[in-house]
């Protein structure tokens, strides 16, 4: 520890796991919830889903291999039902009894929304990770499907993230715990990113690889000029966006570093695939026609669906 900053530690121990591996051992890779206090609790109520650890159907999640998640509850209900229709797999009812999140199951695939920003998403991830841990699910991949602002890419381009950056251009997720700044690695699985990218190419969908900037808010953190407050100039904005592009950033959203960090700690593969709704170099507001918005919104979903169907066929 130095200057109140802890790098990549949990309860004083370094986090040595990487996405898709468990200390280099072979065999099934189980979803990890490493909190030692969980072992002393006979019950654990996943409050924001209304699901209990001791529920008789907790083991029904054991077969989950892919968790698809993103911000909007309505969008993920639509995605789950469309995937079920396209693949011929029955769609469950909404398995969440809370109004905070929705959860649908289509065979080995779970569809969950997470709200906007890392704080909301972290609640979902904590509880879904524990759910799959209790269910003894193994070899699970998490894929975040979303919308974003592009940096130097045309609207409608799907960006498959090959890395994440915070507002200081670090591949880290920052938390404040016990009056300390805790920074943890925020890295994604490169093999999963390549598979998603290659699937997009095969489908003929405009797709790019690139870094993703995770902002802490929608307006000032993304250097927009149209928020209620703004204490920088248009020149400052374009200088910042130009610097992003030089660092390989191709899109901006509000979840990437947290998503990469939490999934890494849980020992699962993780990928992020988002469509750009605008090129931030050309403006701050989404002005595309509604029909184009719907078409663009389905592009990352179509890539993920093709990827999942190939995986299911190989199970």
């Amino acid at each position: 520890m130095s200057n109140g900053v802890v790098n990549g530690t949990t309860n004083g121990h370094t986090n040595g796991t990487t996405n898709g591996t468990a200390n280099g051992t072979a065999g099934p890779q189980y979803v990890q919830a490493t909190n030692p206090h969980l072992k002393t609790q006979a019950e654990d109520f996943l409050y924001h889903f209304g699901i209990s650890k001791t529920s008789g159907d907790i083991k029904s999640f054991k077969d989950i291999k892919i968790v698809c998640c993103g911000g909007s509850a309505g969008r993920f209900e639509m995605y789950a039902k469309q995937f079920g229709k396209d693949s011929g797999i029955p769609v469950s009812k909404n398995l969440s009894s809370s109004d905070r999140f929705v959860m649908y199951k289509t065979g080995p695939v779970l569809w969950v929304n997470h709200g906007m920003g890392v704080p909301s998403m972290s609640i979902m991830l904590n509880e879904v990770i524990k759910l799959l841990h209790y269910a003894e699910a193994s070899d699970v991949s998490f894929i975040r499907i979303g919308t974003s602002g592009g940096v130097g890419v045309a609207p409608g381009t799907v960006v498959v993230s090959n890395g994440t950056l915070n507002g200081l251009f670090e591949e880290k997720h920052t938390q404040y715990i016990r009056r300390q700044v805790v920074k943890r690695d925020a890295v994604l699985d490169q093999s999963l990113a390549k598979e998603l990218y290659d699937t997009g190419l095969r489908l003929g969908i405009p797709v790019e690889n690139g870094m993703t900037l995770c902002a802490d808010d929608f307006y000032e953190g993304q250097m927009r000029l149209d928020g209620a407050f703004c204490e920088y100039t248009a020149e400052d904005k374009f200088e910042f966006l130009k610097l992003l592009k030089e660092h390989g950033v191709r899109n901006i959203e509000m979840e990437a570093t947290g998503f990469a960090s939490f999934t890494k700690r849980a020992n699962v593969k993780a990928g992020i695939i988002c469509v750009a709704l605008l090129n931030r170099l050309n403006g701050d507001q989404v002005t595309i026609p509604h029909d184009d918005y719907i078409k663009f919104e389905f592009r990352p979903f179509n890539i993920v669906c093709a990827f999942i169907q190939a995986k299911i066929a190989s199970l």
Side-chain angles (χ1 to χ4, degrees):
M1 190 192 312
S2 174
N3 298 321
V5 178
V6 180
N7 284 300
T9 66
T10 306
N11 297 327
H13 300 283
T14 58
N15 175 13
T17 63
T18 58
N19 284 333
T21 65
N23 301 322
T25 59
Q29 307 301 308
Y30 291 98
V31 179
Q32 295 183 359
T34 59
N35 177 3
H37 302 291
L38 295 178
K39 296 179 181 179
T40 66
Q41 298 177 191
E43 180 59 285
D44 186 1
F45 185 64
L46 308 179
Y47 176 78
H48 298 88
F49 288 97
I51 298 174
S52 170
K53 171 186 175 182
T54 57
S55 169
D57 61 356
I58 197 80
K59 292 299 183 183
S60 67
F61 294 93
K62 185 173 183 176
D63 67 337
I64 292 297
K65 297 299 179 186
I66 297 174
V67 177
C68 294
C69 60
S72 166
R75 183 186 299 157
F76 271 76
E77 177 183 0
M78 176 178 65
Y79 282 172
K81 291 178 178 179
Q82 187 63 48
F83 177 79
K85 180 180 178 181
D86 292 345
S87 63
I89 299 175
V91 182
S92 73
K93 66 177 184 179
N94 181 7
L95 301 175
S96 173
S97 61
S98 160
D99 63 354
R100 297 294 185 180
F101 302 112
V102 298
M103 176 187 289
Y104 295 90
K105 186 175 185 294
T106 53
V109 186
L110 208 58
W111 304 85
V112 192
N113 81 299
H114 58 55
M116 295 177 68
V118 171
S120 175
M121 181 190 64
S122 72
I123 297 170
M124 181 280 286
L125 286 175
N126 266 282
E127 296 188 14
V128 169
I129 286 167
K130 289 197 295 178
L131 173 68
L132 297 179
H133 174 71
Y134 295 142
E136 298 182 337
S138 62
D139 303 320
V140 178
S141 296
F142 279 60
I143 303 175
R144 194 183 103 68
I145 308 170
T147 58
S148 62
V151 180
V153 300
T157 303
V158 175
V159 178
V160 177
S161 306
N162 56 23
T164 72
L165 295 178
N166 64 19
L168 295 176
F169 289 18
E170 303 168 325
E171 292 190 66
K172 300 284 185 180
H173 172 56
T174 302
Q175 292 177 277
Y176 302 94
I177 303 172
R178 292 192 308 155
R179 297 176 62 199
Q180 295 178 345
V181 179
V182 179
K183 293 186 177 183
R184 294 191 173 92
D185 291 341
V187 296
L188 298 168
D189 186 86
Q190 297 303 307
S191 62
L192 178 54
K194 185 177 187 306
E195 287 187 83
L196 292 171
Y197 178 77
D198 289 346
T199 301
L201 290 180
R202 178 169 56 81
L203 295 178
I205 293 174
V207 60
E208 286 200 24
N209 278 323
M211 300 289 286
T212 296
L213 176 73
C214 179
D216 289 334
D217 68 275
F218 189 77
Y219 288 99
E220 292 174 285
Q222 301 189 33
M223 294 293 284
R224 278 186 158 87
L225 302 177
D226 58 351
F229 311 100
C230 185
E231 298 171 357
Y232 44 82
T233 67
E235 289 74 19
D236 293 334
K237 167 195 165 179
F238 285 110
E239 181 181 345
F240 177 74
L241 293 175
K242 180 180 177 182
L243 189 61
L244 284 180
K245 190 174 180 182
E246 290 172 355
H247 279 75
V249 171
R250 291 297 174 265
N251 66 335
I252 306 172
E253 41 94 289
M254 297 185 291
E255 293 87 14
T257 55
F259 181 77
S261 173
F262 276 95
T263 51
K264 181 179 187 299
R265 294 169 74 190
N267 192 44
V268 297
K269 290 184 177 182
I272 302 174
I273 179 167
C274 295
V275 67
L277 297 179
L278 73 166
N279 180 359
R280 286 293 314 286
L281 294 171
N282 296 334
D284 293 335
Q285 297 197 349
V286 178
T287 59
I288 57 176
H290 179 71
D291 288 349
D292 285 344
Y293 182 95
I294 298 300
K295 180 175 67 175
F296 293 168
E297 186 180 36
F298 267 91
R299 283 180 175 175
F301 168 78
N302 290 336
I303 292 173
V304 170
C305 281
F307 166 79
I308 292 173
Q309 288 165 350
K311 290 296 182 183
I312 289 176
S314 66
L315 291 178

